[in-house]
Amino acid sequence: EAGVAQSPRYKIIEKRQSVAFWCNPISGHATLYWYQQILGQGPKLLIQFQNNGVVDDSQLPKDRFSAERLKGVDSTLKIQPAKLEDSAVYLCASSLDLPRREQYFGPGTRLTVT
Amino acid sequence: GQQVMQIPQYQHVQEGEDFTTYCNSSTTLSNIQWYKQRPGGHPVFLIQLVKSGEVKKQKRLTFQFGEAKKNSSLHITATQTTDVGTYFCAGPVTGNQFYFGTGTSLTVIP
């Protein structure tokens, strides 16, 4: 079975620019997660979708971050405008259902903000 | 503040030595999961524990879930160079909010 796909793999932007990341979860996985992983730290959950509804976005900086999962499959995460502290790896994961199920992670997008 | 803490943050062992990482949550967890992340890679699911006091084994790896469901441990017997990576515990701390621990980075010296 195909894994979680993410693109791009790397992105370098200047501060105040905008950027978008794309994620395609494993087929049939209802739950999709976006994480931010800063170097040397554990992944931090930004937002969690169940199908196309938001389950939790309490740690998403909503003044600059947004995410959508319109058809309950693919998802995009956007940052506008970016700040230096947004430099991190953005990981997408999916699971069959709510958090009690194992999560499968994509390769991540490494974002560098200069 | 940080909801799920792990100790130690770093561990260097000689190949063949044992290794243990400990995970502590500020609140009771309905379940706990363990992930391994190789350098430059993404987290990979290892196991999930659900019951109080549960112990599970995977070859040289032994996972325990505390009686109060607020702590857990991962023990590796006779480490190998393939065990190198960062080990994270993770779980739903409040409702559906899923928190990863701070991680323990394991280096195995051949």
Side-chain angles (χ1 to χ4, degrees), chain A residues 29-88:
Chain A
H29 280 195
T31 308
L32 185 147
Y33 313 77
W34 282 103
Y35 289 90
Q36 179 193 60
Q37 187 172 27
I38 292 172
L39 187 65
Q41 299 182 16
K44 172 187 170 184
L45 180 65
L46 294 176
I47 189 167
Q48 177 184 323
F49 293 95
Q50 177 80 359
N51 295 309
N52 61 347
V54 176
V55 173
D56 181 78
D57 63 357
S58 58
Q59 298 191 95
L60 186 74
K62 298 180 185 63
D63 58 332
R64 299 185 299 107
F65 286 64
S66 64
E68 59 183 13
R69 192 185 185 198
L70 292 176
K71 298 182 179 178
V73 181
D74 293 9
S75 178
T76 55
L77 175 70
K78 297 179 182 178
I79 307 175
Q80 182 180 11
K83 293 185 176 181
L84 295 177
E85 59 260 37
D86 297 332
S87 293

Side-chain angles (χ1 to χ4, degrees), chain A residues 20-31:
Chain A
F21 312 124
W22 173 82
C23 173
N24 181 238
I26 293 173
S27 177
H29 280 195
T31 308

Side-chain angles (χ1 to χ4, degrees), chain A residues 35 37 42-43 45 48 55-56 58-59 91 99-103 105-106, chain B residues 30-31 33 35 37 42-43 45 48 88 92 96-102:
Chain A
Y35 289 90
Q37 187 172 27
L45 180 65
Q48 177 184 323
V55 173
D56 181 78
S58 58
Q59 298 191 95
L91 294 162
R100 290 161 183 80
R101 286 283 195 167
E102 61 194 86
Q103 297 179 35
F105 283 80
Chain B
S30 59
N31 68 88
Q33 299 177 358
Y35 291 81
Q37 186 172 25
H42 56 273
F45 175 83
Q48 176 173 277
F88 293 101
N96 288 321
Q97 286 186 14
F98 204 80
Y99 281 88
F100 272 73
T102 48

Side-chain angles (χ1 to χ4, degrees), chain B residues 2-6 23-26 29 89 91 93 99-102:
Chain B
Q2 188 67 45
Q3 303 272 8
V4 183
M5 300 294 294
Q6 285 182 252
C23 172
N24 292 285
S25 169
S26 55
L29 301 169
C89 60
V93 173
Y99 281 88
F100 272 73
T102 48

Side-chain angles (χ1 to χ4, degrees), chain B residues 2 15 17 25 58 68 80 82-83 86 105 109:
Chain B
Q2 188 67 45
E15 188 174 16
E17 291 182 339
S25 169
Q58 287 181 349
Q80 300 176 358
T82 53
D83 296 326
T86 301
S105 175
I109 304 164

